[in-house]
Amino acid sequence: MGNRPRWESWWQTAKSVALALLLAGLVRSFLVQPFWIPSGSMKETLLVGDFLFVNKFAYGWSRFSCPFALCPIEGRLWGAMPERGDIVVFRHPRNGDDYIKRLIGLPGDRVQMRDGLLFLNDRMVARREAGSYREIYAPQGPGGAMPRCRNHPRPGGICLKDRAIETLPNGVSYPVLNLSDLGFADTTTTFTVPPGHVFVMGDNRDNSLDSRYALARGGVGFVPVENLIGRADRVIFSSAGSSLLAVWTWRFDRLFHALH
């Protein structure tokens, strides 16, 4: 009899923990998903070390909404099509990793790059030059990757990229970065987006494996709408260092930073 209160306490604790885990699983599956930016493919919009939550109800739910694609859903539940310019997180069609890119083309759109310029449905996307993007030439994030530059700085020097502002036909504007107009994906064939798919690109054009690379290792190709996990709307916090515990490397100017 004397041990009963202790067992009751343990039982209550176990039920509370189980309920908390269940609620956390439901939230992650159907509402938001944390996402850590591991690479510079979306600079300057997203930086290595940005941490954000993905809005999972923006486009409805598919089997990829659950961890390990375990949701018993065929197609999309309460699905809604994304818009051009959305920053989308999706399950890579081949390697199963979660990627983040900007949505450029919807089903039926024709997408092409010509000498580094983006054409959508045979019209050049509005673009204006906007100077240079500058960052320190130093290791970034837990992987310690060095940024790519159009100049040749020494460690600790200034890394430069050409910068422009693109504006899609629906009015969404965003910065794009460029190293040169002579890269493999700076001039492409015309991609016609098939039904049930979208076309995505990174804002850091010469440092992004995306829909322009259909067959290359790590290339994305067309992304099935079913593979969309959600939309990225806001950076929660950001760290320029190799660990979240290094508070002195946090980018306080990016706390709750809205994405466009």
Side-chain angles (χ1 to χ4, degrees):
M1 295 291 292
N3 290 334
R4 185 175 180 182
R6 178 180 297 178
W7 282 110
E8 287 182 353
S9 176
W10 277 107
W11 175 239
Q12 291 299 327
T13 300
K15 287 195 297 183
S16 298
V17 170
L19 179 59
L21 292 174
L22 176 61
L23 291 175
L26 290 174
V27 167
R28 190 186 187 284
S29 296
F30 297 106
L31 298 179
V32 296
Q33 175 177 322
F35 194 88
W36 181 265
I37 303 300
S39 74
S41 69
M42 280 294 292
K43 288 179 183 176
E44 67 185 77
T45 305
L46 292 169
L47 304 180
V48 178
D50 280 352
F51 179 84
L52 48 88
F53 285 116
V54 179
N55 177 355
K56 301 188 76 169
F57 51 82
Y59 312 129
W61 295 272
S62 74
R63 64 190 180 96
F64 296 107
S65 300
C66 290
F68 310 109
L70 292 178
C71 281
I73 299 173
E74 293 292 332
R76 297 199 74 86
L77 182 64
W78 297 312
M81 282 298 294
E83 298 182 5
R84 297 188 189 96
D86 283 358
I87 300 172
V88 297
V89 173
F90 59 92
R91 187 65 49 87
H92 192 290
R94 289 186 292 280
N95 67 26
D97 292 337
D98 290 346
Y99 273 39
I100 185 166
K101 304 289 180 185
R102 189 178 299 276
L103 191 146
I104 299 296
L106 294 170
D109 283 342
R110 296 182 302 280
V111 185
Q112 185 182 23
M113 295 293 293
R114 303 180 192 172
D115 298 322
L117 301 176
L118 174 62
F119 283 73
L120 185 61
N121 295 322
D122 305 316
R123 294 186 178 183
M124 192 182 87
V125 170
R127 174 189 176 102
R128 62 177 176 86
E129 300 304 317
S132 296
Y133 176 74
R134 302 163 64 91
E135 61 182 332
I136 302 297
Y137 187 64
Q140 298 182 341
M146 302 294 283
R148 297 180 62 193
C149 318
R150 65 170 169 80
N151 59 333
H152 302 283
R154 294 180 178 180
I158 299 299
C159 173
L160 299 174
K161 297 178 181 64
D162 294 330
R163 182 176 184 270
I165 304 297
E166 282 183 353
T167 302
L168 294 171
N170 61 350
V172 176
S173 295
Y174 49 89
V176 294
L177 305 182
N178 190 42
L179 297 176
S180 79
D181 297 329
L182 303 176
F184 172 80
D186 285 321
T187 298
T188 69
T189 185
T190 298
F191 301 95
T192 300
V193 185
H197 292 73
V198 295
F199 191 97
V200 297
M201 294 174 65
D203 291 350
N204 193 0
R205 290 287 162 78
D206 291 326
N207 193 36
S208 174
L209 284 172
D210 49 44
S211 290
R212 295 172 293 172
Y213 298 85
L215 301 177
R217 182 179 180 183
V220 173
F222 299 120
V223 178
V225 171
E226 181 186 28
N227 288 47
L228 295 177
I229 294 173
R231 185 182 66 217
D233 296 323
R234 189 175 297 272
V235 173
I236 303 303
F237 64 87
S238 181
S239 172
S242 59
S243 171
L244 286 179
L245 300 179
V247 179
W248 57 91
T249 67
W250 286 14
R251 304 180 181 107
F252 290 98
D253 61 325
R254 293 185 70 78
L255 291 175
F256 303 105
H257 171 71
L259 298 174
H260 303 285

